[in-house]
Amino acid sequence: MMADRTDATKLVEIKKVSKYFKVSEGTLKAVNEVNIDIYRGETLGLVGESGCGKSTFGKTLIGIYHPTKGTIIYHTADGKPMEINKKTLFSYSKMAQIIFQDPYSSLDPRMTVADIIEEGMIIHKMYDRKKRRERVYELLELVGLNKEHANRFAHEFSGGQRQRIGIARALAIEPEFIVCDEPISALDVSIQSQIINLLHDLQKKLNLTYLFIAHDLNIVKYISDRIAVMYLGNIVELATSKELYGNTLHPYSQALLSAVPIPDPDKEAQKQRQILTGDVPSPINTPKGCPFAGRCPYVMDICRQEKPVLEMKQGHLVACHKVTK
Ligand SMILES: Nc1ncnc2c1ncn2[C@@H]1O[C@H](COP(=O)(O)OP(=O)(O)OP(=O)(O)O)[C@@H](O)[C@H]1O
Ligand SMILES: [Mg+2]
């Protein structure tokens, strides 16, 4: 985690990025005009309900999807801004990597661990055969496995071990930026914290920047410097972890937070719960106005007319008509 944000430099600039999918019923706006800067060395948490667009956003950021609108600019280590497009995608793919949610489906069970980890190095023409093998051994040690694992197949490993292999694969080409897409959601609770601690240690050791996607607000709080809250493809609030938990402004963030259990049973019993009413609306052919209007307990006329912009109010960024400056 970043100790001091005052000298923070931008690593990824996301400018009005949207990702739409054409579906039979119309246009599905999975990601809608997202504007965020990600700073070098930080962990930016991204939270929101299932289907709100987190994975689509993560995949767009690392170039698996091309944005329907908007631009992504990556600031390389030598300080040059590079726009992500067809021409730059290959060199960008060496700097930005992803760790997937499900370590069962994301690793080819017929490949050996060494083949899986080496693949990126071969694509990027890194090192000769011998040196690549040494790197595989180094990477296995780095993620808490060992060289005896190299010639075994992915299906021989437990979930936690597979996720370690997935992390080694992502690290093999020495990226700077990693999208961690719910990297522990599919794992047993007992090993979740091991993987979180590993990611945390690797970040410090290798000076990595993370976009950390999660459902569980407790986990993001622990690992993130800042947190972005997403609703129907839109960022509705963005603040440092401390600010977001101490001064929650958006009614949707308040609802998400009130769903997180407090460890103290007395406090938990007294807590005011704000239950979300209504279903998550469809991201297809969305109505105008605030995306949260249909479920918001404080909805006003203007909310159904005008979409609120993400702007600085009461110390951090929030998109809500109800919140005063
Ligand atoms: N390839 C695709 N084609 C059409 N629609 C898609 C595609 N990928 C995602 N979607 C839709 O885009 C929306 C966002 O999906 P996405 O997987 O990004 O959500 P998510 O926040 O990652 O959800 P979860 O928490 O369940 O992983 C959903 O409505 C989903 O059905
Ligand atoms: Mg997802």
Side-chain angles (χ1 to χ4, degrees), residues 21 23 28 30 49-56 65 101 182 215 283:
F21 295 110
V23 292
L28 188 153
E49 282 164 293
S50 183
C52 75
K54 303 180 299 295
S55 294
T56 304
Y65 292 141
Q101 172 170 354
E182 306 210 35
H215 275 94

Side-chain angles (χ1 to χ4, degrees), residues 4 27 44 153 162 164 169 203 245 307:
D4 182 4
T27 303
L44 176 66
F153 291 89
R162 286 185 202 207
R164 289 176 194 270
R169 171 178 65 180
Q203 178 172 45
Y245 286 83
K307 187 173 159 179

